[in-house]
Amino acid sequence: MYSSGREYDYSFYVSFAGSTKVGKTSLCNRITKTTPFRWNDKYDPTIGADSWSKYENIDEKKLRVYFYDTSGQERFKPVIRPYLSTRVDAIFLVYDLTDRKSFEDVPGWGN
């Protein structure tokens, strides 16, 4: 968490990590978009990492939350490592309830 006197009082950095096709991008879209969420079966894999931000007012404080959507592909693990370590305040480890392997892969994303 970082504090600033500019357009927000506090800034938080949150990453989503997990295997490919588990819904990380859908979660980021659901959280950050103001328009009604509509499920999209079209799958466009994230390359490296993508980011969104959202502003919220809580108890008269303006919060800016950055969300990092990281790629679930093994080949991008070296690229996304900074988004899972030094730059974040929280990490959501995501898996697909219908894909046991994605659940078994969770420990590898948390290390």
Side-chain angles (χ1 to χ4, degrees):
M1 175 181 75
Y2 306 94
S3 181
S4 169
R6 296 187 182 181
E7 69 227 40
Y8 52 87
D9 297 300
Y10 298 101
S11 182
F12 297 93
Y13 296 83
V14 178
S15 284
F16 290 85
S19 297
T20 190
K21 294 185 178 182
V22 294
K24 299 178 299 292
T25 301
S26 292
L27 285 171
C28 286
N29 279 322
R30 177 77 185 234
I31 292 168
T32 60
K33 305 296 183 202
T34 57
T35 57
F37 177 77
R38 294 176 195 248
W39 183 257
N40 183 357
D41 287 334
K42 184 177 178 229
Y43 170 67
D44 292 322
T46 302
I47 306 297
D50 201 353
S51 65
W52 290 272
S53 62
K54 182 171 185 166
Y55 291 87
E56 289 288 335
N57 290 310
I58 299 175
D59 294 333
E60 298 182 20
K61 298 288 183 185
K62 187 151 186 164
L63 307 177
R64 177 183 67 178
V65 183
Y66 278 112
F67 295 94
Y68 295 117
D69 172 21
T70 62
S71 175
Q73 298 175 37
E74 280 289 324
R75 64 184 173 155
F76 291 114
K77 271 194 173 180
V79 174
I80 66 170
R81 188 62 56 198
Y83 296 99
L84 302 176
S85 59
T86 59
R87 297 182 184 178
V88 298
D89 296 301
I91 299 173
F92 288 93
L93 299 174
V94 183
Y95 64 93
D96 180 347
L97 290 172
T98 65
D99 180 358
R100 181 155 183 88
K101 176 142 178 33
S102 73
F103 175 73
E104 292 168 351
D105 290 344
V106 166
W109 289 100
N111 294 331

